[in-house]
Structures are given as structure tokens and as C-alpha cells.
Amino acid sequence: MTAAAGAPLSLRFHAAGEWPDGTVDSAGDLILSPETDAALAAIAAPVSVKAKTSVFRQGDAAASVYLIRSGAMRVAHQLEDGRNQIVAFSWSGDLFGLADHGVYLNSADALTDCDLVEFSRPALKSLFLKEPQLQGDFLVEAIADLRMSQRHLLLVTHQRVTKRLAGFLVECARQPDCYDPKTGVLSLIMDRTDIADYLSTTVETVSRTIGALEEQRLMTRIDLRHVHLDLAGLQAMMVR
Amino acid sequence: MTAAAGAPLSLRFHAAGEWPDGTVDSAGDLILSPETDAALAAIAAPVSVKAKTSVFRQGDAAASVYLIRSGAMRVAHQLEDGRNQIVAFSWSGDLFGLADHGVYLNSADALTDCDLVEFSRPALKSLFLKEPQLQGDFLVEAIADLRMSQRHLLLVTHQRVTKRLAGFLVECARQPDCYDPKTGVLSLIMDRTDIADYLSTTVETVSRTIGALEEQRLMTRIDLRHVHLDLAGLQAMMVR
DNA sequence: CGACCACTTGAGCTCGCTCAAGACTAGTGG
DNA sequence: CCACTAGTCTTGAGCGAGCTCAAGTGGTCG
């Protein structure tokens, strides 16, 4: 995890969902006023992390909140019984660093090389006092995260793993970074274990279930990390 | 669902978790500045709903956000395949009314008679412009909701229903409204189907699992809706 | 007292977990 | 260029928790 030189940042906050006119741009990114943008940039520290390295661990003193400029992160929670539940995959424009009682609730690891922006919590807090409407932007982000968390809940509570996996693939295909709608090819950024930990199942079952979806012609493997999706078919099978 | 006469409201926002000094009071409720409190009260419409009635349905045009003054609500999402996943039980001090694309994402039903406060979204939006730091209070709420949603996720992803149920009982016992730490007696406000839909299992399994916990002496039934808990024991079994 | 609803109990079956091999991939060094 | 190795992924076989359907019990309200 290395600090990069501090050029102007032009921060992009991605806000999934719909918002009042003037809140988000055509790409679904938050529109910050020039003042808040400048104020944010003033306290923003660029950070680069290499793939498969950790940004922070669950239980660490929560010093910062992070914004992803490029790359993808894995946010996971380790339970006392040894389980490792992935709480979210986070993409460029997403914030991460949820904390409680002064410590991070989850661990954050880079899936790919990432460019991050680090905001120290105290700095953010005092900036909130100076630029109160900045809280509105973070509110929008928090609500977007809440929606994502509920979607995840609905996904993992499907009794049949086939449905969970289908839903997961559809979710992934919403990420422009890794899905090409022209070709229908999805790049899987994470390994089978990550998928299992996200869907709350086992590697073996993920492997077998991918096989099952292939037999149903709902997906085709190109190689381990690239698959062709039948999006309509996958969505249809979620209903049945 | 009836509107009550509009006396001064003294709104209480419950913010689970820890916050900077001066943000919450000893009961864990948000401290609003007198100005924001007054401004909020000006756009707040008191609403009373009777037990087992609906406040809004998933898909309805999202006109408002609601704060619970007293009582308990069930927030659930109906999936296309017929499943009914309870997303949260909400208690006094909680907000509900999550929306996207102008419609509610979930349905909200009263478990008990409830006193609510309704904030119209447009009114809230314009109030945010006048009182920007009010967004900070809603930010705190949204983050608290996000944490709860993640806790719920961790709960329902336990493979063994015994653990889910144990965790659920422990969660319930954190609600002062329905748990008496003196006697260790928990009042279950919801029926078995609700528990099943919250834990993503079936009524039958809930019933059997309650039996199993009783055999392990981790809980004792007083009647259908009242149980005595061995909190320490329940928490211990979550780990194994 | 009867009817309805919520809850419990029973029996069988199935999906997915577990443990255990085996196959494939990629990275390393001779 | 080809072993060698370590990590990842797949496949196999057996078992068990929980789902399903179905019947039975108990509480509540007219």
C-alpha cells in the first residue's frame, strides 16, 4: 500500500439508483458542487494498493474512509466460528470503511490493483461542519450501500444455490468494468472461493453449480475467469 | 391508518452504534439542534396505525419517510418467486421508507399499534437545503441501518438454523421494549411465520428449532409469545 | 361450542456440505 | 523447453439438516 503523488483528483462517487435531478450525472455519479469538491480534494490522500493486499483488517482502529478511483475491493467479515462472509464487492466510485465503536467492522482486500483515495475520519468530520451539504452526498452514498446490502440479502437467502449464482452473475454484469454487453462476456475478477464466500456456500458447490448452469446453456465458459452469459435466461430462471 | 392531532412531537431518532461525543444522548438517541428539531417538527405529520395493517406496499409511489415514535414495524420484500423475505424489524426511533426510482422497495406492516411520524419526501428535500446539517442526522441513521443490514446478512448466512434462531433471540433481547433483563423474559412481538421469513427458513423448522433450543436449556417457553432466555448460553452456541 | 388460525409433529426426500481424490493452471528453476 | 510444485479448480461418494406435504393439536374469538 503506497501513497502516490497528489495531483488534482476529480473524485467520482458512484450512486446506484435514482436521485433527484441535478444530483447525479448521466453516468450515475454524484455531482459535487465545486466548493465541496475542492474541500474534499484538500483532505484526500491518494493511495495505491496492489492486488491481493489488504487495506485494513476488521478490528483495526478505524482511521479513514476510502473511495475507489479504479480497481475492485473485497469487503468481508470474519466470524468467530471461522466463516468468512463477503459483505460486498466494491468497484470504482464506491466508498468503504464502515466502522463502529472506533474500529472497522470488516476487512478490505484488493482484488485487483487499485487506486484509492483516503479521507481521514476526523478531517471528514470537521469538513462536514464547514460544508454541511457534503453530508448530503455521503447520505446518498450510504443509502445506495443500504440498497446494495438489501439486494445481497435477498440474493443469499435464495434456498437454491443455482438461483444465487444466477443472481450473482447478473449483478456482476451490471459492472461496466467487467462485462461487455456487445459480446456478452463477463470477466470474473474473483476466484471461486470468493464467489462461495459471497453467496454463502462452498467452493465445491460453486464449481458444480457453474457446471449445472452450463448444461442449461445459461452460461458458457471461455476460460476459468471468462464466461459468456445468457442474461435473459439467467434472469428468467431466478423467478421459477 | 389515521392522522392524529398535531401536538409538539419531540422526535427521537435511534442511532445504534457509537458516535462522536455530542451526537447521541445516554439512551443512544440522536441529539438534534433546537433549530433542526423545530424545522423537522414543522413538516412532521403524526400518523397512527393499528396492528396488522399496512403503511405502504412495495412498488407504491414513495411519497414519505416514516419515523417510529412507538410500536414495531415489519419491513419485507416480496420476490417474484413468491418468497417473502423480511428485511428488518423496526422499533421506536427507527426510520423506514427506503425507495428507489420513486417507489418503495419494501412493504411496511405494523406488528403492533404504532405511532408514526410521516415526513413527505419533497418537504424533507427542501428542508435539507435550508438546514444542511439535518442531512448529517439522516446520514447517521442511514449508516446505522447499513450496519443492521450487514448484521442481518451475517445472521441469515449461518448454515445451521439453530445458530440463526439463537442470534435472532439475542438481537431481540437488545430491544428494551420487549426484553426484561431482570427476569430474562423476551416478549415475541411477531408470529412464527415472521421469524421464519426473517431467518429465511420455514415455520416448521422454526418450530422444531425452538424445541431444540429448549432441550438444550438455552430457552424456556412461558407461552407462545413469551420465552425465558439464557443469553450467555445462546451467545456461546453461536461460536461453536 | 364450533370454526379458524397459528403452531406443532411426523415421514420422506433432496440439495448441498464434508471429506477425499484427482485434474488443471501458472509460476519457477533447472 | 520441460519437469516440478503449489495453488486453484473439479469431480466423486456419502450423509444429514432442513424443505415439503400432510396430519394433528391447541388456543382464541365469534
Side-chain angles (χ1 to χ4, degrees):
Chain A
M1 185 162 145
T2 58
L9 291 171
S10 81
L11 303 174
R12 290 176 46 247
F13 289 78
H14 187 74
E18 202 184 50
W19 304 99
D21 290 347
T23 316
V24 299
D25 66 19
S26 57
D29 293 327
L30 270 189
I31 298 169
L32 304 178
S33 76
E35 302 83 47
T36 57
D37 195 22
L40 257 185
I43 66 161
V47 173
S48 292
V49 292
K50 285 219 288 282
K52 305 195 179 187
T53 61
S54 168
V55 175
F56 56 76
R57 309 264 80 202
Q58 151 185 354
D60 289 353
S64 305
V65 173
Y66 296 85
L67 173 69
I68 306 179
R69 300 197 65 207
S70 71
M73 299 286 306
R74 161 175 25 109
V75 179
H77 187 93
Q78 286 80 39
L79 291 120
E80 304 92 330
D81 63 6
R83 239 176 69 218
N84 182 47
Q85 176 67 48
I86 293 181
V87 159
F89 293 114
S90 298
W91 310 84
S92 73
D94 290 340
L95 283 172
F96 65 93
L98 186 64
D100 196 12
H101 291 79
V103 299
Y104 291 115
L105 289 175
N106 308 304
S107 302
D109 303 280
L111 286 172
T112 64
D113 293 349
C114 289
D115 288 317
L116 308 177
V117 180
E118 177 174 11
F119 304 107
S120 101
R121 286 175 179 267
L124 209 50
K125 195 177 130 191
S126 58
L127 192 55
F128 281 163
L129 296 175
K130 277 190 293 194
E131 303 269 348
Q133 79 271 28
L134 184 62
Q135 292 182 323
D137 300 317
F138 278 79
L139 176 58
V140 164
E141 285 297 318
I143 290 174
D145 280 358
L146 182 56
R147 280 201 288 248
M148 282 310 293
S149 183
Q150 287 193 4
R151 291 178 68 92
H152 188 187
L153 179 77
L154 295 175
L155 189 60
V156 299
T157 50
H158 279 289
Q159 53 293 32
R160 295 271 163 280
V161 173
T162 319
K163 284 194 181 186
R164 290 186 226 166
L165 184 61
F168 170 73
L169 294 170
V170 173
E171 285 282 328
C172 282
R174 299 160 142 253
Q175 274 304 327
D177 310 9
C178 61
Y179 181 70
D180 180 357
K182 306 265 163 135
T183 60
V185 173
L186 177 74
S187 305
L188 290 168
I189 220 171
M190 66 291 286
D191 62 25
R192 301 290 191 261
T193 309
D194 287 337
I195 299 175
D197 287 349
Y198 184 76
L199 296 181
S200 191
T201 179
T202 62
V203 206
E204 295 92 330
T205 302
V206 168
S207 189
R208 281 185 251 264
T209 310
I210 288 176
L213 286 181
E214 282 193 291
E215 294 208 344
Q216 296 177 254
R217 305 271 160 223
L218 294 171
M219 60 183 284
T220 333
R221 276 180 46 169
I222 296 159
D223 61 45
L224 270 182
R225 296 297 187 101
H226 295 87
V227 294
H228 178 271
L229 301 185
D230 171 5
L231 270 189
L234 289 168
Q235 253 151 343
M237 88 99 63
M238 300 282 300
V239 179
R240 274 182 289 108
Chain B
M1 185 161 143
T2 59
L9 289 172
S10 81
L11 303 174
R12 290 176 46 247
F13 289 79
H14 187 73
E18 202 185 49
W19 304 98
D21 290 346
T23 315
V24 298
D25 65 18
S26 56
D29 294 328
L30 272 188
I31 298 170
L32 304 179
S33 77
E35 301 83 48
T36 57
D37 195 22
L40 257 186
I43 66 161
V47 173
S48 292
V49 292
K50 285 220 289 278
K52 306 195 178 187
T53 62
S54 167
V55 175
F56 56 76
R57 310 264 79 202
Q58 153 185 353
D60 289 354
S64 305
V65 173
Y66 296 85
L67 173 69
I68 306 180
R69 301 197 65 208
S70 71
M73 298 286 305
R74 162 174 25 108
V75 179
H77 188 94
Q78 285 81 40
L79 291 121
E80 303 91 333
D81 62 6
R83 239 176 70 218
N84 182 47
Q85 177 65 49
I86 293 182
V87 159
F89 292 114
S90 298
W91 310 85
S92 72
D94 290 340
L95 282 171
F96 66 94
L98 187 65
D100 196 11
H101 290 79
V103 300
Y104 292 114
L105 290 175
N106 308 304
S107 303
D109 303 281
L111 287 172
T112 65
D113 293 350
C114 288
D115 287 316
L116 308 176
V117 180
E118 178 174 8
F119 302 106
S120 102
R121 286 175 179 268
L124 208 50
K125 195 177 132 191
S126 58
L127 191 55
F128 280 163
L129 297 175
K130 277 189 292 193
E131 303 269 348
Q133 79 271 28
L134 185 62
Q135 291 181 324
D137 300 317
F138 278 79
L139 176 58
V140 164
E141 286 297 319
I143 291 174
D145 281 357
L146 182 55
R147 281 201 290 248
M148 282 310 293
S149 182
Q150 287 194 4
R151 291 176 68 93
H152 189 187
L153 180 76
L154 295 175
L155 188 61
V156 299
T157 51
H158 278 290
Q159 52 293 36
R160 296 271 163 280
V161 173
T162 319
K163 283 194 181 184
R164 290 188 226 165
L165 184 60
F168 170 71
L169 294 170
V170 173
E171 285 282 328
C172 282
R174 298 159 144 255
Q175 275 303 327
D177 310 8
C178 61
Y179 182 68
D180 180 357
K182 306 265 165 142
T183 60
V185 172
L186 177 74
S187 305
L188 290 169
I189 221 172
M190 66 292 285
D191 63 26
R192 301 292 190 260
T193 308
D194 287 337
I195 299 176
D197 288 348
Y198 184 76
L199 296 181
S200 191
T201 179
T202 61
V203 206
E204 296 91 331
T205 302
V206 168
S207 188
R208 282 186 252 265
T209 310
I210 288 176
L213 286 181
E214 282 193 292
E215 293 208 344
Q216 296 178 253
R217 305 270 159 223
L218 294 172
M219 59 182 284
T220 331
R221 276 180 45 169
I222 296 159
D223 61 47
L224 269 183
R225 296 296 187 102
H226 294 86
V227 292
H228 178 270
L229 301 185
D230 172 5
L231 270 189
L234 289 167
Q235 253 152 342
M237 90 99 62
M238 300 283 299
V239 180
R240 275 182 289 108

